Amino acid sequence: MKNPLHPAILSLFVSGIAAADPLPNLNLEPGTTTVSGLSSGAFMAVQIQVAFSGTISGAGIVAGGPYDCAAGAVWRALFVCMDPFLIEPDAGASVSMIQAMAAENLIDPVDGITPDRLYLFHGQADDTVARVTMDTLSQTYTLLGVSPDDMAYVTSIDAGHGFVTERGPVPCDETRPDFLIDCDFDQAGNILNQLYDDLQQPVEPGDEGFVTFDQSDYTENAPGMDDTAFAYIPASCAEGETCRLHITLHGCKQGRETIGEDYARLTGYNRWAEANGIVILYPQAIEIPSPWFNPFGGNPNGCWDWWGYSGRDHLSKSAPQLAAIANMAAALGAPLD
């Protein structure tokens, strides 16, 4: 039997969340939170999965790479992880860093990663993030003990660099803004079906379920994060039924300040969410202009921090952006820590 609709959620569901309103506390099932992302969002999704492995049960990685791939240096991000020149990413080094961070209790124990379900994707026409980087991520998970039966690695689609959708404005094999590419392939559905069992077929999402909220309530002034973000809350979840949380992270040049609501509206997650009681959280990153004296500084493309622009600590549970996302998950009813 459904629980009566909480007055705060009723207001949210009828009129949408105003920019100043907080996220509602929902009835979310512990231990079923998953995460996904594209490009910088994919690297960040790996960081979230690894840091909070005790509560994250799976990850979908589209054109990303292994934990600590950049080792805190933007030149490594560019010339080791994205476009390897003389040095390629190292799965063993990633595993060693994960083990070292866990030993210092900066992230959850390593064995929390082993049972996770994974979806990995690299498009055949993607020349932005190298295939070898995704191969290294796959090797990293294997070294961590993830079963091949729990890991899907898709490399068969002639897709450029972007999130693959059935509604994107960019032709499948191209790489250009808005990085939402139309390959007649439902990537959001593929990700969620890999991460969860027995999903029902998608339905049209309700406009009332798409909400905008004040992200600044949760960021504690974390560098590179917008004041506004989005979520999708299915009707059943707003009415009090037990639901699950999926966090998905846009790529560079895909944040709200650049493409508005398109990532949250067009990726296809909301259709599956409405049919299956999955709340979707869409955190938002923003640009930080490069200083005149350092063209490789800042965050001029609105990327998530996977190389250290927010500070020396960008990998642990207390890292500014990871902690902010954890705050949002906790507010919704799914604490990560």
Side-chain angles (χ1 to χ4, degrees), residues 116-286:
D116 285 0
R117 299 174 70 161
L118 303 167
Y119 174 97
L120 311 182
F121 180 93
H122 190 272
Q124 292 180 354
D126 186 346
D127 58 5
T128 300
V129 174
R131 166 69 185 270
V132 68
T133 304
M134 282 296 295
D135 290 346
T136 303
L137 176 61
S138 176
Q139 295 162 12
T140 301
Y141 284 126
T142 298
L143 291 173
L144 290 168
V146 177
S147 169
D149 294 337
D150 291 331
M151 184 163 50
Y153 187 8
V154 180
T155 61
S156 59
I157 296 176
D158 190 26
H161 185 72
F163 194 92
V164 184
T165 175
E166 298 175 304
R167 303 174 60 191
V170 180
C172 184
D173 61 353
E174 295 187 14
T175 297
R176 58 179 172 84
D178 295 342
F179 306 102
L180 296 170
I181 52 181
D182 187 350
C183 297
D184 293 324
F185 176 73
D186 181 6
Q187 187 158 69
N190 271 250
I191 290 171
L192 293 178
N193 276 280
Q194 172 65 18
L195 304 186
Y196 296 113
D197 287 324
D198 302 323
L199 295 188
Q200 301 298 312
Q201 287 301 301
V203 298
E204 283 304 305
D207 287 340
E208 64 274 15
F210 188 89
V211 296
T212 301
F213 67 94
D214 188 347
Q215 186 173 252
S216 66
D217 285 347
Y218 311 99
T219 62
E220 299 178 1
N221 297 314
M225 296 193 71
D226 201 341
D227 288 340
T228 301
F230 310 115
Y232 185 81
I233 301 176
S236 60
C237 306
E239 291 168 354
E241 291 190 1
T242 301
C243 291
R244 297 168 287 191
L245 175 65
H246 181 74
I247 304 164
T248 185
L249 302 160
H250 63 75
C252 303
K253 299 182 180 179
Q254 278 193 318
R256 183 191 66 89
E257 66 177 2
T258 305
I259 66 170
E261 299 176 349
D262 281 1
Y263 186 88
R265 295 274 192 185
L266 300 181
T267 45
Y269 283 109
N270 301 340
R271 300 167 61 243
W272 289 93
E274 184 64 39
N276 292 283
I278 301 172
V279 175
I280 310 292
L281 175 64
Y282 297 98
Q284 297 293 301
I286 56 171

